[in-house]
Amino acid sequence: MNRFEKAPSSESPETNSWASFGEIRPDKPHSRQKAIEEQRAKYPEIFNPNKREMYSRIEQFLEKIDIDEVQDILKNYGDNYRICSKELISHLSSVLRLKNPPRVAFKPQEYDGDEGLYSYRNNTITMFYQRRRGMDMTMEDVITAAHETWHARQALLAHEYKSHPDSVLYRRNIKYYIEPDEDYDGYKTQRYEWEAENFGKEFYLRFCTVKSKLPSSYIKQLGRKIKTLAS
């Protein structure tokens, strides 16, 4: 699971990371569930989006990725997930046209399922690692690196490119973001998460399963998990 950063409740709207969204601000807790349901009915393109349409957007960027460059990163740094994560994120930041590539930080995993976090506030991707794991780059690391870099693109469009057609959609999805403990299916299918999750998985399937140091067991594991993206 990839965390989604929200502003601490102790901060005022004027100082927290939500302020730059203008009129798009979080609802008070007592009205949150009602507001989410209203938004889901009003904005199906955000909370029940057309997967084919979203996948076509992902495809546009996947086509720009050079498989040889990705394979070189994996072959050269695949035995050190810290360096490899940074190199992959740097490469994908260029492909996704991020004017300021995110910095990368690493923290031990505190909760099961925590894999990554992107913070727009300090433009940082945090990779959470398991203490018992070795240094090799794993399937989860690759997917998380790509997933969080896609979130960086979404945040850039939401905050800084408000004339972009997706800007309002991302800002509204951020305001009414569905947490996994609120509605797990809703969490997985909302535009903000569906795009990032499937960009990460498709990136891995296309570019990281050939000539890399990653064990074939991870490829089989992903094959069992992922469904046809364009269905």
Side-chain angles (χ1 to χ4, degrees):
M1 184 184 303
N2 292 276
R3 281 199 211 165
F4 178 76
E5 182 184 69
K6 293 185 178 179
S9 58
S10 60
E11 294 184 2
S12 68
E14 289 72 26
T15 60
N16 68 29
S17 64
W18 293 98
S20 61
F21 287 107
E23 76 284 0
I24 305 295
R25 298 187 181 211
D27 293 290
K28 295 179 181 179
H30 69 270
S31 65
R32 174 168 168 74
Q33 191 59 44
K34 180 180 178 181
I36 287 177
E37 291 306 315
E38 290 175 349
Q39 294 297 310
R40 291 174 78 165
K42 190 175 181 181
Y43 297 100
E45 68 271 27
I46 299 174
F47 301 102
N48 187 26
N50 184 306
K51 294 180 180 180
R52 288 183 180 275
E53 181 267 333
M54 283 195 296
Y55 186 75
S56 68
R57 298 190 183 202
I58 292 173
E59 179 78 15
Q60 293 175 10
F61 288 101
L62 291 168
E63 290 177 350
K64 298 177 182 179
I65 297 174
D66 188 318
I67 188 169
D68 291 331
E69 291 186 31
V70 174
Q71 292 301 323
D72 285 343
I73 292 172
L74 293 170
K75 287 187 287 186
N76 293 332
Y77 307 111
D79 57 354
N80 188 318
Y81 77 93
R82 288 176 183 259
I83 296 176
C84 197
S85 295
K86 291 179 179 180
E87 292 292 329
L88 284 176
I89 288 169
S90 176
H91 178 70
L92 289 173
S93 295
S94 176
V95 172
L96 298 180
R97 300 198 294 268
L98 304 185
K99 59 182 181 180
N100 295 313
R103 64 179 291 269
V104 185
F106 300 89
K107 291 184 179 180
Q109 186 185 69
E110 296 181 12
Y111 306 100
D112 289 342
D114 275 354
E115 295 168 359
L117 166 70
Y118 173 71
S119 170
Y120 173 77
R121 199 179 334 192
N122 55 17
N123 192 30
T124 298
I125 290 174
T126 300
M127 304 282 288
F128 297 103
Y129 60 89
Q130 298 177 16
R131 288 185 177 89
R132 65 181 180 275
R133 195 181 63 197
M135 292 295 289
D136 287 350
M137 193 74 172
T138 69
M139 177 192 74
E140 288 81 5
D141 294 324
V142 172
I143 293 174
T144 298
H147 180 120
E148 299 304 334
T149 309
W150 188 269
H151 276 330
R153 175 183 180 272
Q154 292 170 319
L156 183 69
L157 293 180
H159 286 269
E160 300 179 29
Y161 292 94
K162 295 187 178 181
S163 62
H164 191 282
D166 287 342
S167 181
V168 172
L169 296 179
Y170 288 142
R171 282 186 285 137
R172 190 167 292 277
N173 197 168
I174 288 169
K175 178 182 178 182
Y176 297 103
Y177 184 82
I178 300 172
E179 298 284 358
D181 57 352
E182 294 175 320
D183 177 356
Y184 190 72
D185 288 338
Y187 160 76
K188 299 290 277 188
T189 57
Q190 63 189 322
R191 176 178 292 266
Y192 203 82
E193 286 301 329
W194 195 97
E195 287 182 355
E197 179 172 354
N198 287 293
F199 177 75
K201 288 180 176 179
E202 185 71 353
F203 171 73
Y204 180 85
L205 281 173
R206 290 197 189 192
F207 304 102
C208 307
T209 58
V210 182
K211 301 181 186 176
S212 73
K213 293 184 177 181
L214 301 177
S216 60
S217 59
Y218 288 115
I219 301 171
K220 294 178 181 178
Q221 180 184 352
L222 183 61
R224 290 194 297 269
K225 285 182 178 181
I226 194 170
K227 295 180 180 179
T228 303
L229 297 180
S231 63

